[in-house]
Amino acid sequence: MVNYTLWANIKSLSQLKKNGRKIGHLRFKGKGWYKTINYNQSGFKIDEHKNKLTFSKIGTINCRGLNNRVRKNKIKGIILKRAQTGRWLANIQIENVPIALPKTNKSVGLDVGVSSFIVDSDGRRVENPKNIDKQLKKIKKKHQTLSRKKKDSKNWLKAKLHLAKLLAQVTNQRKDFLHKVSRFYVNVYDLICVEDLDIKELSQKGNKNNKRSRPLHRNIIDASWGQFFNYLSYKAVNADKKVVKVHPKGTTQECSRCGRIVKKTLSDRIHFCTYCNLELDRDYNASINILKRGTGCASILVENRPLVTITASAIVSGQVFSMNQETPSLR
Ligand SMILES: [Zn+2]
């Protein structure tokens, strides 16, 4: 497999060169660089009842976290990987068998934002995980500790490991949250409409300084949206549901009832339309516009009502699934 990877890399690099791209040389990777062992098709055995993995040339090792999917699906291969935290992970590749979920005949528009993670067109406000700032502070401190140590010394390695562990924990928590939110929407809706963030990003590139001066907090939230849409898309495909990306231009400014433009600044939290007197939460208004664009439905009955707030911890603990009946659909 190592040989195979090497030759595949050389081949794709020469292809890039042919296409006129500038490419560098392959570099020797010494100790500490090589982190994976690849078992393709054979050479491994899984004992899911005893939580043990057996590999040829290595032996049997205990493991944690073997789940249902491993039991039910055909296993194509295992990649053993050493994480930066010093732990070993087994990436088990399974054959993907799509399982269609029952149809609900419901569609939804999602507006992702900074102040809340999502506001949807059925009046839910999903909050951002609260611990981001707290964890960032900790990470910053660990970075400082690391930079004060002498490189490659024992204490430096120790500090590095601490930092890696903390980062892994933060990443895992964020992924868990994103998986559960996307799972919720794919279960409840047949059609999920979101903004095309790539276009949004492009249209905002005019302000170049903006990105650099943005706080780290904001960057993490940005990254979360992309990841969330990825999870949403692949879960939807597997469940025979649909995700539609709509053009983001003006979703905030437009009035979701009469379609006229109501100018707002970033700090205006309320949409108030002087033409039709509609008064709504700003993000709620946007989510209805997104739904309208995604479904092609010109008029959607809109009413002003308080949004139902869903905390990140309610999602992570699974409470959101029992809440899903409590928010009656507007349509
Ligand atoms: Zn209006």
Side-chain angles (χ1 to χ4, degrees):
M1 278 314 290
V2 173
N3 245 324
Y4 174 80
T5 315
L6 176 64
W7 287 109
N9 283 342
I10 290 175
K11 219 171 141 187
S12 66
L13 278 178
S14 69
Q15 192 61 47
L16 280 176
K17 202 174 179 181
K18 262 186 212 155
N19 294 344
R21 288 273 294 279
K22 222 177 153 183
I23 58 161
H25 291 279
L26 291 179
R27 276 179 305 161
F28 173 72
K29 303 251 164 149
K31 189 187 162 201
W33 273 98
Y34 214 75
K35 297 191 177 95
T36 54
I37 307 170
N38 199 329
Y39 283 87
N40 194 22
Q41 310 285 356
S42 62
F44 56 83
K45 217 175 83 192
I46 298 180
D47 185 343
E48 69 259 29
H49 302 294
K50 289 181 189 150
N51 278 329
K52 280 182 198 301
L53 294 173
T54 305
F55 297 98
S56 65
K57 315 278 182 204
I58 295 178
T60 300
I61 34 185
N62 294 324
C63 67
R64 279 193 304 185
L66 283 180
N67 61 24
N68 247 335
R69 290 207 295 168
V70 171
R71 266 161 228 155
K72 283 185 191 152
N73 290 282
K74 195 173 172 224
I75 290 150
K76 306 289 278 183
I78 300 183
I79 299 169
L80 281 177
K81 190 173 178 184
R82 191 182 61 202
Q84 276 189 317
T85 52
R87 294 162 75 190
W88 285 86
L89 306 170
N91 291 341
I92 301 176
Q93 302 165 305
I94 56 172
E95 206 169 61
N96 188 29
V97 186
I99 301 166
L101 286 174
K103 291 279 182 282
T104 58
N105 286 322
K106 285 207 274 187
S107 38
V108 74
L110 307 184
D111 179 63
V112 293
V114 181
S115 52
S116 8
F117 186 69
I118 289 172
V119 172
D120 73 28
S121 58
D122 275 342
R124 292 186 200 85
R125 177 198 297 285
V126 178
E127 286 187 338
N128 269 308
K130 282 223 170 68
N131 43 15
I132 293 183
D133 285 319
K134 219 165 145 191
Q135 286 169 327
L136 277 180
K137 229 186 229 166
K138 268 199 218 164
I139 289 170
K140 243 185 205 163
K141 224 172 179 177
K142 288 259 193 286
H143 263 299
Q144 274 171 4
T145 320
L146 183 68
S147 65
R148 277 198 291 266
K149 310 278 184 217
K150 197 174 157 238
K151 204 181 165 200
D152 289 326
S153 70
K154 258 192 179 162
N155 282 329
W156 182 83
L157 286 172
K158 229 196 236 167
K160 203 176 155 206
L161 185 64
H162 274 169
L163 178 62
K165 276 185 178 167
L166 186 64
L167 286 174
Q169 189 195 18
V170 172
T171 312
N172 287 340
Q173 280 173 357
R174 196 185 63 212
K175 280 187 181 169
D176 184 45
F177 169 72
L178 297 175
H179 270 302
K180 281 169 179 162
V181 183
S182 52
R183 170 51 60 205
F184 170 74
Y185 282 106
V186 170
N187 281 9
V188 178
Y189 297 97
D190 290 354
L191 177 68
I192 303 160
C193 312
V194 295
E195 281 177 309
D196 194 334
L197 285 188
D198 289 336
I199 299 178
K200 198 163 192 170
E201 180 78 9
L202 279 178
S203 63
Q204 286 171 355
K205 272 221 170 105
N207 199 348
K208 269 185 184 157
N209 295 328
N210 211 3
K211 203 159 190 181
R212 203 168 272 175
S213 62
R214 258 182 350 194
L216 194 55
H217 175 109
R218 179 62 212 276
N219 284 331
I220 288 179
I221 292 175
D222 277 8
S224 297
W225 292 335
Q227 215 164 15
F228 173 68
F229 288 168
N230 282 343
Y231 290 175
L232 205 60
S233 303
Y234 89 76
K235 284 187 168 75
V237 167
N238 265 335
D240 195 23
K241 308 261 180 132
K242 222 170 154 189
V243 175
V244 176
K245 287 189 171 178
V246 306
H247 202 287
K249 197 181 174 215
T251 46
T252 313
Q253 312 291 344
E254 238 172 71
C255 172
S256 58
R257 185 190 278 160
C258 69
R260 289 188 177 90
I261 299 294
V262 180
K263 284 263 173 246
K264 304 176 193 66
T265 63
L266 257 177
S267 56
D268 294 334
R269 298 313 308 164
I270 300 291
H271 164 87
F272 179 70
C273 178
T274 46
Y275 304 101
C276 72
N277 283 330
L278 177 69
E279 189 179 345
L280 278 187
D281 176 273
R282 162 211 183 92
D283 299 331
Y284 182 36
N285 179 62
S287 72
I288 293 164
N289 282 328
I290 292 166
L291 176 67
K292 279 167 91 173
R293 288 181 189 189
T295 53
C297 190
S299 73
I300 284 168
L301 179 66
V302 185
E303 56 181 86
N304 190 11
R305 54 171 181 169
L307 300 180
V308 178
T309 299
I310 300 175
T311 60
S313 62
I315 283 169
V316 171
S317 66
Q319 283 171 46
V320 70
F321 289 99
S322 52
M323 276 162 102
N324 100 46
Q325 303 308 326
E326 288 170 26
T327 10
S329 180
L330 284 173
R331 295 170 303 286

